[in-house]
Amino acid sequence: MEIKLTVNAQLVTVEVEANLLLSALLRDRLRLTGTHVACDTSQCGACTVLVDGASAKSCTLLAAEAAGSSVVTIEGLAADGALHPMQQAFHEQHGLQCGFCTPGMVMSAVDLVAVNPDPSEAEIRAWLKGNICRCTGYQNIVKAIRAGAAALRSA
Amino acid sequence: MTHDGIGAPLRRKEDRRFLTGRGRYVHDIVRAHQLYAVFLRSPHAHAEILAVDAKAALASPGVAAVYTAADIAGKINGVPCAWGIVGRDGKPMKEPPHPPLAAGKVRHVGDPVAMVVADSLAAARNAAELVQVSYKVLPAVTAVAEAVKPGAPQLYDDVPGNLCCDWAVGDKAATDVAFAKAHHVAKLDLVNNRLVPNAMESRAALAEYEPSTGEYTLFTSTQLPHVARVLLGVLMLGIPERKFRVVAPDVGGGFGSKQVVYAEEALVTWAAGRLERPVKWVAERSEAFLSDAQGRDHVTHAELALDRDGKFLGLRVSTLANIGGYVSTFGPNIPTNLYGPLLAGAYTTPAIHCEVKVVFSNTVPTDAYRGAGRPEATFVLERLVDVAAHELGLDRVEIRRRNLIPKDAYPYQTPVMLQYDTGDHAATLAKALELSAWSSFAERRAASAARGKLRGIGLVTYIEACGLAPSRIAQQLGARGGIFESANIRVNPSGDISVITGAHSHGQGHETVFAQLVSELLGVPCANVEVIHGDTARSPFGLGTYGSRSAAVGGAAIAKAAGKIIDKGKKIASALLEASEQDIEFKNGAFTVAGTDRSKSFAEIAGAAYTPPPSYPLETLEPGLEETAFYDPVNFTYPGGCHVAEVEVDPETGVTVLVAYTAVDDIGTVLNPLLVEGQVHGGVVQGVGQALCEDCVYDPASGQLLSGSFMDYCMPRADDLPLIVSETACTPSAHNPIGVKGCGETGTIASPATVMNAVVDALAQYGVTHVDMPASPQRVWQAIQAARLRPVAE
């Protein structure tokens, strides 16, 4: 079937099979490989993107379900080459190591701050239940999200 | 110049690509006309393969090939082991063949039986369903304690008792004497549970073949591309190094599981050559659970002999180590050479004897997993010290103080092979006690009790050996190759620098920290230094990254190469400045005639090397400024320190919450404190995972893996953890020129024992003296219930 959706502010018209996952559409068809797939069971959150502003696990959505929606991936976050404040905060706070969970962490954090502009440490940790990181022990990710939230508040 | 050399908390150079979705992992690489590989894996833990019929699969739409053991026989050799150990009887370990596709028999659930290659992933998956395999299912054994029993299912006809190797270290007679004069003997039986490393990026391999030149390129998620090239190319496939390029691009975590060389990598390469099309394979997570090397899995009995004052007289350890269905790349080395010699810990125990039975079972092979043998040793020793303190009525800090190696006793020769270079355990202990507010714990315990919770505190004083390794010692211990590291420093004509290292980064931040090191040594801005790694076509032969070796060995190789650059620069400067070479000093990025202001900048010397002025003595001095060094360390490095954990247990539910954690680690010179802190956090949390939730469980009857997904295998989440307090101490290592010790594994080595000592402390009022890992709610609740039912001793 043919679907139309917006990906990173660009209108996309694409022919998809009914069983094509959104993650596969992004990675394989649109070559937006920043969205990672790491668990197949919707546990790890590496594939998190924003769908109409809310974070969603793209490995658990059919591409067809995103028809008509606006999808933002990690590639769409930095505007004109400048890092998004949340990306910058992850950099400043050393909130990433191998980088594989990072896109999902950042997208999830962007959504958190949209709904809760000043999250506490406990609120951040609770929000990250759906994102697994094996490298950092989460501590600097939590610090980064607090710093990113502060930067966004003052922006 | 702003200081961005050694010790600066520089933000990482590599971050930007990862933060913008431009990382390039094997998963992301696509080649024109590529085929997709899917592996059909054994559903049985132990079975004879009676017949494999691939006809229907071959006829399935889009299928290019189906390969089974029969198709590769005589064409691909078995998966090699890179480290053969020797038993206490002087005989080599039993090393049965490890066919890339199971031949005759399958030995664990997930053992690959057939490879299907098709023009789409869906076509390959569909065809794999059509491969008919007839099995005769055999009884299976997965638990190591069962595998050694008489009558246990036998994995190999010529490996009686499933015994790969009966290994020992230490002086048995001296240890027996020590026990004979002991005032008290503390005893402990414990299990070190099996773990699944679970790097977030699953393993993947993409191979291509160029028929015009006969060259193969393999993109693979490995920690050691050069080693993989030798093992896969030379030993398995018969492809010489000059025709085989192995590239490890961005790799999404390794933790040891990617220092193993795997059958899939060889099969994909072979198929690419045979089909003359690129072939790509990406492991699904469920497949990773069934095929990535796993970790730990020990059953141990340990005894500590003490005198009247609580001084350790002797240690006796007997361990059964489960290495799974096959000998993995470094598998047998982990529970032996990287375990027994670590049992001295940070203590002056004069006599130690450790025996390890290395045992096959119908499980996924085990190999290095973060810490690799050293967390297991630390767990045995530090649990046992707590048991001894409890039995002697000694304070847990005091018993450690009485036995720690004093600062002035270094270099310290242990009774189990190792000679420690430097350390100051009393200092790290004192610092950790201070940071953790150890002395005021009683108040916090009372506050928890008021809320109906049991609070416990635990500590560990540990040591580790890392920075693998001196080649000579490693080879005496069974390594089938040298273990050193390489570095190439290429000063470009404009004075900027490319550093090509044989080490490999899969999250550690080498692109930043090695640039800092070169910046410090050559006095150039960090921004002008580019670090290149992970490609056999670009870097000199190197051993890769594992065992916390990158800084200690790879960094030392870079320092050595930088020294050669400076030496050559002095020669050039001496000609240009018309001074004797001995009078040239290199300082702050400039070559200066001592005692004068006559000077040439680093960039000027680089320029002269490539655009020689008339004064450049081309007859005696080569142009160019590029140097390669191979560095073989004189010994391991020995980080050490003290960790403290506090837990709170809900006695009604058994739920254990880690409420505080303090890590004080002496890792020698700190190259970048920000990156060190990240390594410590990550290491601690992986160990906390083992202590509180992670458990790889096989069904004993069927041999099926029960914890085969992220839904069943519980890894720590952000809300399971407190803020970790981390500090470093520094007694510089004497075993390498930059004084570093290594920081990648300290956290994982110390934290399981630290957390479990706190859990047992929380439950001490019930008379609980030991809890096995993980301290799951069920296990803790049962320990409490069992204690409540037990008659009170007094």
Side-chain angles (χ1 to χ4, degrees):
Chain A
M1 70 184 82
E2 187 185 275
I3 61 167
K4 289 186 192 335
L5 69 165
T6 305
V7 178
N8 298 336
Q10 288 200 318
L11 189 65
V12 174
T13 305
V14 63
E15 186 70 27
V16 299
E17 302 81 36
N19 65 354
L20 187 77
L21 297 170
L22 177 58
S23 55
L25 170 67
L26 296 171
R27 288 182 53 78
D28 302 338
R29 302 280 175 88
L30 305 181
R31 295 295 292 142
L32 294 168
T33 54
T35 297
H36 297 152
V37 175
C39 77
D40 311 324
T41 51
S42 206
Q43 301 285 302
C44 78
C47 66
T48 303
V49 298
L50 300 180
V51 178
D52 295 328
S55 59
K57 291 182 176 177
S58 64
C59 79
T60 318
L61 276 177
L62 293 168
E65 289 178 272
S69 294
S70 173
V71 175
V72 179
T73 71
I74 190 73
E75 290 92 342
L77 214 52
D80 303 325
L83 292 182
H84 181 279
M86 192 58 77
Q87 291 170 314
Q88 186 65 32
F90 270 69
H91 173 62
E92 291 295 334
Q93 303 297 328
H94 186 35
L96 65 154
Q97 291 182 24
C98 83
F100 206 78
C101 76
T102 307
M105 287 286 179
V106 172
M107 298 314 282
S108 190
V110 168
D111 186 23
L112 166 64
V113 174
V115 293
N116 180 355
D118 189 9
S120 68
E121 185 197 330
E123 286 170 334
I124 293 168
R125 287 182 182 274
W127 181 269
L128 293 180
K129 265 187 212 299
N131 291 79
I132 299 178
C133 172
R134 197 60 163 158
C135 293
T136 64
Y138 303 101
Q139 188 149 322
N140 289 347
I141 292 175
V142 174
K143 273 166 78 176
I145 295 175
R146 290 205 79 168
L152 283 161
R153 284 198 305 279
S154 63
Chain B
M1 189 175 94
T2 57
H3 180 73
D4 52 10
I6 290 177
L10 206 67
R11 271 57 182 171
R12 299 200 315 173
K13 286 166 164 269
E14 45 271 83
D15 283 355
R16 190 178 175 90
R17 68 175 186 273
F18 295 129
L19 282 165
T20 56
R22 269 72 171 187
R24 187 166 173 264
Y25 303 87
V26 179
H27 287 217
D28 305 331
I29 300 173
V30 171
R31 283 291 184 263
H33 307 297
Q34 78 184 16
L35 296 163
Y36 297 80
V38 162
F39 290 91
L40 180 69
R41 296 177 183 277
S42 170
H44 304 295
H46 198 194
E48 276 177 41
I49 300 171
L50 301 177
V52 184
D53 181 355
K55 278 200 268 325
L58 273 167
S60 184
V63 170
V66 180
Y67 301 118
T68 66
D71 301 305
I72 63 167
K75 299 181 178 115
I76 308 181
N77 292 322
V79 187
C81 174
W83 198 305
I85 57 167
V86 176
R88 60 210 288 184
D89 58 3
K91 291 185 184 148
M93 67 179 188
K94 293 279 198 314
E95 192 175 354
H98 181 179
L101 291 169
K105 224 179 168 191
V106 290
R107 291 184 174 85
H108 64 86
V109 174
D111 210 352
V113 176
M115 177 193 195
V116 178
V117 187
D119 59 16
S120 75
L121 185 57
R125 280 186 184 144
N126 290 339
E129 299 269 318
L130 299 173
V131 178
Q132 299 292 318
V133 186
S134 312
Y135 294 101
K136 181 188 170 195
V137 178
L138 303 170
V141 63
T142 57
V144 67
E146 297 301 317
V148 290
K149 285 183 182 167
Q154 301 289 296
L155 271 75
Y156 297 96
D157 293 340
D158 51 356
V159 183
N162 297 316
L163 189 62
C164 170
C165 191
D166 186 359
W167 183 92
V169 68
D171 187 334
K172 187 170 188 311
T175 308
D176 288 344
V177 168
F179 273 80
K181 62 181 184 199
H183 163 71
H184 181 76
V185 175
K187 299 179 181 179
L188 183 63
D189 288 288
L190 56 79
V191 173
N192 200 296
N193 55 320
R194 183 181 280 240
L195 302 175
V196 183
N198 277 327
M200 292 308 293
E201 178 214 27
S202 66
R203 286 192 297 119
L206 168 58
E208 56 188 349
Y209 174 68
E210 178 48 56
S212 66
T213 59
E215 287 173 339
Y216 291 81
T217 302
L218 172 66
F219 298 89
T220 184
S221 53
T222 185
Q223 298 173 218
L224 31 64
H226 276 284
V227 175
R229 180 169 69 158
V230 172
L231 298 185
L232 296 168
V234 178
L235 297 182
M236 290 184 73
L237 295 162
I239 306 170
E241 288 103 327
R242 65 185 186 279
K243 295 289 189 190
F244 191 20
R245 176 181 173 198
V246 176
V247 184
D250 288 328
V251 170
F255 314 116
S257 67
K258 294 174 183 171
Q259 72 175 71
V260 173
V261 167
Y262 291 94
E264 295 91 347
E265 297 170 293
L267 287 159
V268 162
T269 306
W270 183 76
R274 204 167 162 92
L275 299 168
E276 297 196 358
R277 285 177 69 179
V279 178
K280 182 175 181 177
W281 167 74
V282 176
E284 293 182 8
R285 183 54 60 182
S286 55
E287 191 175 19
F289 271 96
L290 296 174
S291 64
D292 291 4
Q294 300 178 347
R296 320 287 190 250
D297 204 343
H298 289 193
V299 174
T300 294
H301 175 76
E303 301 182 352
L304 180 65
L306 302 102
D307 73 9
R308 201 169 297 278
D309 300 322
K311 286 280 283 180
F312 306 158
L313 301 175
L315 177 69
R316 226 183 232 156
V317 175
S318 175
T319 292
L320 299 174
N322 192 342
I323 57 160
Y326 299 96
V327 172
S328 181
T329 313
F330 297 97
N333 185 46
I334 308 303
T336 52
N337 290 313
L338 293 183
Y339 170 70
L342 273 294
L343 287 164
Y347 307 118
T348 54
T349 318
I352 298 174
H353 186 251
C354 168
E355 52 187 27
V356 181
K357 287 190 166 61
V358 180
V359 180
F360 290 110
S361 74
N362 295 112
T363 57
V364 173
T366 59
D367 206 305
Y369 171 53
R370 201 169 192 170
R374 291 152 291 167
E376 295 92 313
T378 306
F379 188 63
V380 170
L381 186 60
E382 293 297 314
R383 282 294 306 118
L384 191 54
V385 169
D386 264 25
V387 168
H390 174 75
E391 290 175 355
L392 289 174
L394 270 172
D395 177 75
R396 289 173 292 162
V397 174
E398 180 56 26
I399 195 171
R400 287 177 168 84
R401 278 203 185 109
R402 289 183 193 178
N403 288 283
L404 287 173
I405 300 163
K407 188 183 176 188
D408 58 10
Y410 288 93
Y412 182 82
Q413 177 63 50
T414 76
V416 272
M417 302 201 289
L418 304 178
Q419 192 189 74
Y420 303 156
D421 53 349
T422 58
D424 185 354
H425 285 277
T428 49
L429 171 62
K431 189 75 192 166
L433 295 179
E434 177 201 327
L435 289 174
S436 65
W438 179 276
S439 59
S440 59
F441 173 70
E443 295 161 27
R444 299 191 292 281
R445 173 173 270 178
S448 295
R451 289 183 286 110
K453 302 285 175 63
L454 309 167
R455 200 175 182 104
I457 192 166
L459 88 157
V460 151
T461 43
Y462 77 96
I463 203 160
E464 79 163 298
C466 61
L468 278 168
S471 291
R472 198 154 287 147
I473 295 177
Q475 284 168 325
Q476 280 166 13
L477 297 176
R480 292 168 175 169
I483 303 191
F484 50 83
E485 200 44 81
S486 67
N488 171 260
I489 297 182
R490 186 175 299 168
V491 180
N492 300 308
S494 69
D496 79 350
I497 293 176
S498 306
V499 179
I500 305 110
T501 171
H504 182 267
S505 178
H506 28 282
Q508 293 87 343
H510 294 170
E511 291 165 41
T512 304
V513 77
F514 285 164
Q516 285 181 263
L517 181 58
V518 170
S519 166
E520 177 82 27
L521 296 171
L522 297 183
V524 292
C526 209
N528 295 1
V529 183
E530 189 78 15
V531 175
I532 295 161
H533 62 96
D535 185 344
T536 58
R538 300 179 78 182
S539 75
F541 186 94
L543 277 297
T545 288
Y546 45 87
S548 304
R549 69 191 301 275
S550 289
V553 193
I558 289 171
K560 193 173 170 187
K564 291 186 182 182
I565 293 282
I566 293 168
D567 288 348
K568 174 137 184 211
K570 283 181 177 172
K571 288 192 171 66
I572 298 171
S574 105
L576 267 50
L577 295 166
E578 295 176 335
S580 114
E581 200 184 318
Q582 287 72 35
D583 290 340
I584 305 290
E585 284 177 346
F586 181 68
K587 231 162 62 182
N588 301 325
F591 294 88
T592 307
V593 181
T596 76
D597 59 357
R598 290 194 300 132
S599 183
K600 290 280 178 191
S601 72
F602 189 83
E604 286 175 303
I605 294 298
Y610 292 96
T611 312
S615 57
Y616 194 108
L618 284 166
E619 302 73 19
T620 53
L621 189 61
E622 293 174 13
L625 193 51
E626 174 173 346
E627 296 290 349
T628 298
F630 290 84
Y631 173 77
D632 203 316
V634 296
N635 200 331
F636 297 102
T637 55
Y638 299 97
C642 178
H643 287 203
V644 177
E646 264 181 65
V647 299
E648 204 173 57
V649 176
D650 183 336
E652 300 306 318
T653 62
V655 169
T656 302
V657 178
L658 180 67
V659 291
Y661 199 95
T662 304
V664 178
D665 300 297
D666 177 358
I667 58 164
T669 305
V670 172
L671 298 179
N672 180 326
L674 194 68
L675 270 56
V676 165
E677 187 189 65
Q679 288 294 314
V680 171
H681 291 167
V684 164
V685 169
Q686 279 186 3
V688 169
Q690 177 174 28
L692 295 182
C693 55
E694 295 184 34
D695 204 12
C696 178
V697 181
Y698 289 88
D699 177 52
S702 66
Q704 294 294 327
L705 179 64
L706 299 179
S707 50
S709 77
F710 285 178
M711 298 171 79
D712 313 294
Y713 185 86
C714 174
M715 290 183 289
R717 309 283 174 129
D719 64 343
D720 295 322
L721 301 158
L723 275 178
I724 295 162
V725 176
S726 162
E727 275 205 13
T728 54
C730 176
T731 58
S733 172
H735 289 165
N736 63 67
I738 50 178
V740 296
K741 293 186 176 180
C743 65
E745 297 166 293
T746 55
T748 323
I749 287 165
S751 66
T754 309
V755 173
M756 293 312 294
N757 280 349
V759 170
V760 173
D761 183 52
L763 303 179
Q765 68 182 78
Y766 294 102
V768 172
T769 55
H770 180 70
V771 178
D772 274 324
M773 299 186 288
S776 61
Q778 182 198 25
R779 187 169 277 157
V780 170
W781 186 84
Q782 282 175 340
I784 294 170
Q785 298 314 305
R788 280 177 173 164
L789 295 173
R790 226 176 3 240
V792 178
E794 287 91 333

